[in-house]
Amino acid sequence: MVNNQYSIPMIDITFKIKSHRTAIAQATVKVSKQETIDAIHNKTVPKGDVLEASRVAGLFGIKKTSELIPDCHPLPIEFAAVRHRFEGLEIIIETEVQTIYRTGVEVEAMHGASIVALTIYDMLKPIDKEIEIKDIKLIKKKGGKSQYKDELSRTIKAAVIVCSDSISAGKKQDFAGKAIIKKLEEIGGVSIEDYMIIPDEIKEIQSSVLNHYDQKTDLIILTGGTGLSPRDVTPEAIKPLLDREIPGIGEVARAYGQEHMPYAMLSRSLGGLKGNSLILALPGSTRGAAESMDALFPYLMHIFKIMEHSAHD
């Protein structure tokens, strides 16, 4: 019998988008005498060139992190560097790691710094018995959603409109619209002003959007009607209303969805601006709606930041 009571899986990162991520870590090796520092500079340490050997060891340590730390995901190391500097009797080690992936490289950077420090310790111990490793820490990290979350000076007013004949007729329940609302609530700084369900009718879709536009709703998200059936008319309803279509919105949503579901390329999702209102047309499936929100937010909130600056200018 298998006991799964303490079975904890790796963190699921499949829903995250790939982004440029950087981490810089530091470790310090303190020796006990100046002679040790001199031996490093003069390359007279019996075990060899301390700086070069520890640099190479650090690069291996960075690359092999996922093999040794159970919950670390294997990821591509796009750039890695190991640097040394001396401050008195201390050797300051700095490691920098970069990747374009779904998760950060903080542990890789710290693991690399640790391996560099241990290598230096191992190489110096024949000539110095009082070496100390200390202060292994993360100095800086960049990338991921937290880097691109704009702090706005006001709450964004949002409306979610479900476009579906079957749901409006009471034959099915809505899950996609509720998934969108949940994602908006997780972002924070957004007030859900309205949630409505309407049939797949061009005039009714346009009327609902224009009504929210007149109410100065900042973010109008429609879900449903972006497919290829005869009743999927949301893009046809929305496009004539836009002052500016933003092609990247549909492109990013489809590209992200395609990594998870090969049918995502068939979606006709789109987005754009009418005045200061951002209007999005997203898929009607729960999965498609949720994945589109993961692909687009919080990054789309930057539009409102741009508008704030424009208003000040």
Side-chain angles (χ1 to χ4, degrees), residues 43-100:
K43 299 184 180 181
T44 57
V45 175
K47 287 194 174 185
D49 187 333
V50 173
L51 299 184
E52 183 59 21
S54 64
R55 185 189 72 83
V56 173
L59 294 177
F60 277 119
I62 289 167
K63 295 176 182 179
K64 290 181 174 291
T65 302
S66 64
E67 297 178 25
L68 300 170
I69 310 295
D71 201 39
C72 278
H73 296 80
L75 48 75
I77 302 297
E78 312 285 359
F79 172 82
V82 175
R83 307 179 185 99
H84 306 81
R85 73 176 188 271
F86 293 83
E87 294 181 2
L89 297 181
E90 292 185 339
I91 307 164
I92 312 299
I93 301 152
E94 186 178 275
T95 54
E96 179 179 350
V97 184
Q98 297 186 36
T99 187
I100 298 176

Side-chain angles (χ1 to χ4, degrees), residues 127-139:
I127 63 171
D128 193 331
K129 303 301 182 183
E130 299 180 21
I131 304 170
E132 178 185 357
I133 296 175
K134 60 179 186 177
D135 298 334
I136 298 171
K137 59 186 177 181
L138 181 69
I139 300 298

Side-chain angles (χ1 to χ4, degrees), residues 17 53 67 74 81 86 88 97 111 122-123 125 133 140 147 149 179 181 201 226 257 267 290 294 300-301:
I17 70 164
E67 297 178 25
F86 293 83
V97 184
H111 185 238
D122 177 67
M123 296 185 74
K125 66 182 181 181
I133 296 175
K140 181 180 179 181
Q147 182 183 346
K149 188 172 183 179
I181 291 172
E201 296 288 349
T226 61
S267 169
D294 284 333
L300 275 183
M301 302 299 282

Side-chain angles (χ1 to χ4, degrees), residues 104-130:
V105 284
E106 301 96 309
V107 176
E108 283 75 9
M110 287 190 287
H111 185 238
S114 302
I115 295 298
V116 175
L118 285 168
T119 302
I120 292 174
Y121 179 94
D122 177 67
M123 296 185 74
L124 295 181
K125 66 182 181 181
I127 63 171
D128 193 331
K129 303 301 182 183
E130 299 180 21

Side-chain angles (χ1 to χ4, degrees), residues 51-240:
L51 299 184
E52 183 59 21
S54 64
R55 185 189 72 83
V56 173
L59 294 177
F60 277 119
I62 289 167
K63 295 176 182 179
K64 290 181 174 291
T65 302
S66 64
E67 297 178 25
L68 300 170
I69 310 295
D71 201 39
C72 278
H73 296 80
L75 48 75
I77 302 297
E78 312 285 359
F79 172 82
V82 175
R83 307 179 185 99
H84 306 81
R85 73 176 188 271
F86 293 83
E87 294 181 2
L89 297 181
E90 292 185 339
I91 307 164
I92 312 299
I93 301 152
E94 186 178 275
T95 54
E96 179 179 350
V97 184
Q98 297 186 36
T99 187
I100 298 176
Y101 201 59
R102 293 184 172 90
T103 189
V105 284
E106 301 96 309
V107 176
E108 283 75 9
M110 287 190 287
H111 185 238
S114 302
I115 295 298
V116 175
L118 285 168
T119 302
I120 292 174
Y121 179 94
D122 177 67
M123 296 185 74
L124 295 181
K125 66 182 181 181
I127 63 171
D128 193 331
K129 303 301 182 183
E130 299 180 21
I131 304 170
E132 178 185 357
I133 296 175
K134 60 179 186 177
D135 298 334
I136 298 171
K137 59 186 177 181
L138 181 69
I139 300 298
K140 181 180 179 181
K141 72 168 186 173
K142 289 176 62 179
K145 286 190 174 184
S146 59
Q147 182 183 346
Y148 300 102
K149 188 172 183 179
D150 287 296
E151 295 296 330
L152 300 171
S153 61
R154 63 185 180 87
T155 300
I156 299 301
K157 297 190 298 181
V160 177
I161 303 172
V162 179
C163 305
S164 170
D165 290 333
S166 57
I167 295 174
S168 65
K171 297 178 181 178
K172 291 183 178 179
Q173 284 186 291
D174 167 55
F175 295 103
K178 291 175 181 175
I180 290 171
I181 291 172
K182 182 181 177 183
K183 295 287 185 182
L184 290 175
E185 290 172 343
E186 290 171 355
I187 293 168
V190 178
S191 172
I192 311 299
E193 301 290 309
D194 194 16
Y195 162 68
M196 59 191 301
I197 299 171
I198 61 175
D200 292 300
E201 296 288 349
I202 289 180
K203 289 185 178 179
E204 192 158 352
I205 293 170
Q206 291 179 332
S207 175
S208 299
V209 170
L210 291 173
N211 180 51
H212 282 293
Y213 171 73
D214 291 338
Q215 295 176 34
K216 300 189 183 303
T217 303
D218 301 296
L219 178 60
I220 305 167
I221 304 180
L222 301 98
T223 174
T226 61
L228 297 170
S229 77
R231 293 291 290 170
D232 288 331
V233 294
T234 302
E236 286 75 15
I238 296 305
K239 276 191 176 183

